[in-house]
Amino acid sequence: MKSAKANVSVAHLALRPATRKADGRSGVGQVARVAILSALAHPFLLRSVGVLNDLSTADFTEVTDPFALFQLWFEEARATEINDPEAMTLATVDAEGLPDARMILCKGADARGLVFYSNIESAKGRELKAQPRAAALFHWKSLRRQARFRGAVAEVTAAESDAYFATRPRGSQIGAWASQQSRPLASRADLEAAVQAYERRFASAEVPRPEYWRGYRLEPVEIEFWRDRPSRLHERIMFTRSTPEAIWEKRLLYP
């Protein structure tokens, strides 16, 4: 843990932009005072990398079950990330083999893999239909950790898609009907008109799941865990298996 003096220095650095706007009479204006309170209220501004990486109770490189470790890190990220701890980069390839990546939300994670949802007529949907394999990356900045997945992708059952769609906010359900995802849009007004049309169509009734809106599961055959360490001597472990039914093998990797 850093000394109190070091912690004050961290807070001071966070305040520099604010103090430029300080009140000339008091030396510390309202903007600076707000910044001080924000810094003191946000414990992660005052924690060292070592403390952040010691949140787990055990040495992560000793773990033998990658899904158990991922669940632990995922839960810790939910407690520390300010926005969207479930956000992940999903990478696919197009018909020419050109990589394509975008940020999406992981809506399920267990021993079967990672679940996400999309319009199957979107760019990612078309790419996954032609080449049903993908890579996914979680980067939790507050914890200075990453988790990477690679494997085949398959659609989840219609029942799973229905169940998740029913939990979405009504506005998001309407949006799934109104948006022709990834396709050209003449104007924002066209999208807003489509939203209004579907709001009238469904009125006060439940919004059903569009047939083209479905879930996918990435079934990993590779999972890598990365943790930040001083001097860029990071820790990395890789789990691999030949098929989703095979036994995991683990090895350490150089940074």
Side-chain angles (χ1 to χ4, degrees):
M1 180 69 72
K2 291 184 177 179
S3 67
K5 182 177 180 181
N7 287 343
V8 171
S9 296
V10 173
H12 175 71
L13 288 174
L15 296 175
R16 281 183 178 177
T19 55
R20 295 194 189 104
K21 301 180 181 178
D23 185 309
R25 292 171 298 176
S26 63
V28 179
Q30 180 63 24
V31 175
R33 283 194 291 271
V34 171
I36 290 172
L37 293 174
S38 297
L40 294 177
H42 200 312
F44 289 97
L45 286 176
L46 308 179
R47 290 190 175 185
S48 67
V49 173
V51 171
L52 287 170
N53 284 330
D54 286 340
L55 289 176
S56 295
T57 58
D59 182 351
F60 83 98
T61 63
E62 299 300 319
V63 171
T64 57
D65 180 355
F67 290 113
L69 177 58
F70 178 74
Q71 290 290 354
L72 173 64
W73 282 18
F74 203 11
E75 288 304 313
E76 289 178 355
R78 285 172 171 154
T80 62
E81 290 294 302
I82 296 175
N83 293 310
D84 300 326
E86 69 274 24
M88 68 180 187
T89 300
L90 180 75
T92 54
V93 295
D94 65 14
E96 286 70 45
L98 187 65
D100 202 359
R102 75 288 287 165
M103 297 300 299
I104 64 171
L105 298 179
C106 175
K107 291 301 182 179
D110 57 28
R112 296 173 297 169
L114 307 175
V115 175
F116 58 94
Y117 293 86
S118 179
N119 184 323
I120 64 171
E121 298 170 359
S122 66
K124 77 174 79 65
R126 296 193 302 270
E127 290 165 0
L128 287 171
K129 182 177 181 179
Q131 184 66 273
R133 292 182 288 181
L137 166 66
F138 293 84
H139 175 217
W140 296 303
K141 189 173 182 179
S142 68
L143 295 173
R144 294 174 172 84
R145 297 173 180 169
Q146 297 182 58
R148 301 169 61 195
F149 295 74
R150 299 174 72 204
V153 176
E155 290 188 12
V156 303
T157 65
E160 288 178 276
S161 293
D162 287 339
Y164 174 69
F165 189 81
T167 69
R168 303 186 88 203
R170 186 177 181 85
S172 297
Q173 293 176 334
I174 293 291
W177 282 92
S179 175
Q180 299 179 38
Q181 192 174 351
S182 300
R183 281 154 286 183
L185 174 64
S187 71
R188 179 75 182 181
D190 288 350
L191 175 60
E192 293 172 350
V195 169
Q196 293 171 4
Y198 282 108
E199 286 176 340
R200 291 191 298 270
R201 172 178 171 179
F202 296 115
S204 58
E206 291 187 3
V207 181
R209 175 180 64 88
E211 192 279 332
Y212 53 77
W213 193 93
R214 304 179 193 173
Y216 297 89
R217 178 174 287 108
L218 192 164
E219 302 173 338
V221 291
E222 290 185 9
I223 304 177
E224 179 189 325
F225 296 90
W226 176 100
R227 183 171 74 162
D228 181 276
R229 300 296 284 164
S231 302
R232 297 192 177 276
L233 299 177
H234 311 308
E235 291 179 295
R236 296 171 65 189
I237 54 172
M238 170 74 82
F239 290 87
T240 59
R241 59 186 179 181
S242 56
T243 68
E245 294 76 31
I247 301 299
W248 287 107
E249 296 182 4
K250 182 182 75 174
R251 63 179 182 273
L252 297 177
L253 301 177
Y254 277 98

